[in-house]
Each structure stands twice: as structure tokens, then as C-alpha cells.
Amino acid sequence: MGVWAAAGQPTWAQGDSSRTVSIAQVVDMSPTQQDVSRDFLTGSRAAWQDTNARGGIQGKPVQHMVLETDGTPGQLQAAWQTAHRQSQCAALAGCVGHNAAQGLAKLQTGADINNPLPLVAPWLHHTAAQGAVDTVFDVFADLRAQVTHALKSLASMGVPELAVAYAAGHDPALWQAAVAQAAREQNVKVQTISAGAQLTQPIVLFVGGTPELHAFVEKLKLPAGRQCYVIALADVNLQVLAQMGNLPKKVSIVATQTVPLVTAGLPIVRAYREALARLYDEPPSPQGLAGFIAAKYTAEVLQQISGPITRANALAAFQQRKPVTVGGWAVSYQDKKRSAPFVTQSMLSSDGRIVG
């Protein structure tokens, strides 16, 4: 179940907290999550290796501990318990994918722990209620913000109605409520459709992951002779979707993303591309950039701690929720919620090109 890996350094003695900073990352490698999780993990690894090459945090190297799971509740809880048992571990950072992050957030808020780990920058689309323990610190736009961004662009084009499809296995109550609220705010009507449905309008919003979207589009019955657009969310990896192939020629996929475009000129994006090119033979992706940002944000907050980087001091630092800018990418909060969440879009055109 668990895979321990050090970020660009040898594996140090686990009890030697005075010489290293230890960070744990839980990664869901189940079939519906792995295309997001693999890129996200690669981005995080590149960030921690880059951080160590630049002197670590407060002059100490980072021990990056990766705990892979198959997405089942039992393995997720075991990984969470493993991280908490490591007394030198200062934070859980960049835990991915969404189902795993959601499960970890529930474990965080439902457990009675004397010395809890902060759960920082998880790939979390629904923020769990904090309850009495404030230990979850999300930095990426949630589902509602992503859907709102997508519907705003549709509303500006004069689209009054769209179809919505949900992948199997998603909690309908959570997802439908977020979509319905965003639709009301943008004055757009939504109609739920199922796989294999006859599409009577040219635009459909799909809530689910890459393999689920691929299967959905293959079965979709398109209006004769019309160009159609499928709006997907940040769990869809357009590069993987393009590699899977066999998409209808008259369908373009537009996916929201919660980080800048990988072609942007922001310092954090340039740093990600440079580190990825130096360390890994892989193309940049929004999910990889998200993993890179998650690690760099975590490092930036820990760097600002005055005193030893203990678990308690780390939790206190994140609970302050000070505005932080990481290479031009800003994180700020209002009432414990991410304010002005960042969302943009990329498109896989009908001819197989990724635009944006």
C-alpha cells in the first residue's frame, strides 16, 4: 500500500526531525483517478526536488513521503494513520485525487487527535465542514467556482440552456447541488441526461474524470451535422483524453482548470516547466502544475515559520491563512474560504489540438 520516497535526497532517518522537514502526500492510483494523480504527483516531486536543490526549507532538506492507495476507504485510512504516526511529519500536502482528498478531509475533521497534521492544498472539489478542528487548507477552486466559470462563458454567448451528465460513482447530491446553484446564479437552465442519450443541443456539461468522459462521448448521440462542445471540469486530463483517441470528429472538449495555463509566463509556471524538463521526460499539464503549486505553497508557508518546523507550529502557521503569492500565483482567504479562486479553460479541438 505505502511507498515512501525522498524528494531528491537520500532517505534520512525518520526520527531525525532536527535535520529534515518531513512532508507526506497521499495519492489515489485507482483507475478513475490515476491520470490526474500521476501528473499531480510528478509535479509535486519536481517541486520538492527543486526546493531541495535551492537549499530546502530554512536550510533543511525536505523528506517527501508518498503513500499510494487504491482509493478504497480502508487503504485511505491506513495511509492517513501512517502519516500521523510519523512524529517528525509536519504536514499532509497535495493529497490527490478528489475522492481521496474528500476522504482525508472527513478523517481530519472527524477524528479526536491531540496533534493533528494540517491537510494542505489537497485536490479537493468539495471542502468538508471544519467542525471544531481547523485542519484543512484548500487552495484550488472548488466545483462551484469551476462550474460558475464555465456557465459565465456560456451565458456571455447567449446560451440559455445546456445538458448536464454525471459520471457514475459521484455523489449526486453534492455535485447536482453545486451545478444547480451555479446555474441559478448565471440564469442558465440545465437538463440532466444519461450516457447514450440523444443530444438535442450543442453543449453539454460533464461532471467526472477522463476515462468516464471518454466512454460518455463515445456513446453520445450527436445532433446531425452540428459541431458540439462538451464542457468538462478540472478532473479531466486533455492530454490523456487525446491519447485515448476515437473521439467523434464534431466534438470539442473544453476543460476548466484551477491553475494558470501551462504556456503562461508567470514565474511559477516557468519554474514548473523548467523543473519538469530537467527532471522528467514528460510534457507539462494543468494537473502537474497543480501538484507543483501545492508543494511550493506548502514550502512557502513553512519557510515563514519562526522557530522549529514542528507539526504544531506548521498547523498554527496554516491556520493564520496569510495571503501568499507563489511565483505570481496568489492565495488568499476570507472567512476560512479561498477568496477569488483561480479558474481558466483549455480546449481539445475536434482535430486533436489542445488550445490554451
Side-chain angles (χ1 to χ4, degrees):
M1 181 277 295
V3 178
W4 295 96
Q9 294 287 341
T11 302
W12 297 281
Q14 292 185 3
D16 194 359
S17 58
S18 64
R19 295 180 56 191
T20 66
V21 177
S22 184
I23 302 294
Q25 183 174 20
V26 179
V27 182
D28 179 357
M29 287 298 185
S30 60
T32 60
Q33 298 286 319
Q34 63 182 351
D35 65 290
V36 170
S37 295
R38 283 175 176 167
D39 280 11
F40 196 102
L41 176 58
T42 298
S44 294
R45 281 177 164 153
W48 290 122
Q49 290 181 60
D50 183 69
T51 296
N52 280 341
R54 298 173 184 273
I57 298 174
Q58 296 188 7
K60 299 177 181 179
V62 175
Q63 183 185 30
H64 178 210
M65 303 178 292
V66 179
L67 291 165
E68 293 186 5
T69 82
D70 63 2
T72 59
Q75 282 208 2
L76 188 65
Q77 184 167 21
W80 180 78
Q81 290 172 340
T82 296
H84 274 83
R85 282 197 299 266
Q86 307 300 315
S87 59
Q88 85 287 0
C89 185
L92 283 161
C95 296
V96 61
H98 166 67
N99 290 338
Q102 186 74 21
L104 290 170
K106 290 179 179 178
L107 289 170
Q108 290 281 109
T109 57
D112 183 15
I113 301 175
N114 292 328
N115 193 19
L117 282 168
L119 177 60
V120 184
W123 188 245
L124 183 61
H125 302 324
H126 296 297
T127 305
Q130 290 296 321
V133 182
D134 180 12
T135 62
V136 181
F137 310 95
D138 53 314
V139 302
F140 301 113
D142 62 11
L143 175 71
R144 180 185 167 192
Q146 294 178 48
V147 173
T148 297
H149 180 89
L151 296 188
K152 275 184 178 180
S153 63
L154 295 175
S156 67
M157 297 166 56
V159 178
E161 185 176 351
L162 80 158
V164 182
Y166 299 90
H170 289 74
D171 184 344
L174 284 174
W175 299 89
Q176 290 176 2
V179 171
Q181 184 172 1
R184 286 194 300 270
E185 292 172 353
Q186 300 305 316
N187 198 28
V188 174
K189 295 181 180 179
V190 297
Q191 177 187 6
T192 302
I193 63 171
S194 58
Q198 175 67 52
L199 190 62
T200 59
Q201 49 194 320
I203 300 176
V204 57
L205 173 68
F206 180 82
V207 180
T210 308
E212 300 153 325
L213 173 59
H214 187 268
F216 170 79
V217 172
E218 278 191 319
K219 297 176 182 177
L220 194 61
K221 298 174 183 177
L222 304 172
R226 298 187 69 178
Q227 178 69 35
C228 296
Y229 296 87
V230 176
I231 311 297
L233 303 176
D235 267 342
V236 168
N237 189 321
L238 292 182
Q239 290 176 334
V240 173
L241 191 65
Q243 292 167 3
M244 295 174 76
N246 297 322
L247 296 173
K249 292 184 179 180
K250 289 189 175 295
V251 173
S252 296
I253 311 294
V254 180
T256 62
Q257 56 189 67
T258 60
V259 294
L261 298 175
V262 296
T263 55
L266 284 175
I268 188 67
V269 181
R270 293 200 308 268
Y272 164 64
R273 291 199 305 262
E274 291 166 1
L276 193 67
R278 186 172 68 251
L279 299 167
Y280 297 95
D281 184 21
E282 295 185 18
S285 71
Q287 292 80 14
L289 177 56
F292 190 86
I293 286 175
K296 286 295 187 179
Y297 170 78
T298 303
E300 181 65 26
V301 174
L302 295 179
Q303 184 73 35
Q304 296 177 8
I305 292 176
S306 58
I309 304 177
T310 62
R311 185 179 302 183
N313 286 346
L315 180 60
F318 286 108
Q319 285 176 336
Q320 293 178 38
R321 289 185 172 83
K322 294 180 179 178
V324 174
T325 299
V326 184
W329 193 78
V331 180
S332 59
Y333 295 93
Q334 185 174 2
D335 297 327
K336 295 186 178 181
K337 295 182 180 180
R338 176 84 157 88
S339 61
F342 186 95
V343 186
T344 186
Q345 290 179 318
S346 295
M347 182 175 72
L348 176 62
S349 64
S350 56
D351 61 3
R353 294 180 300 113
I354 295 178
V355 182

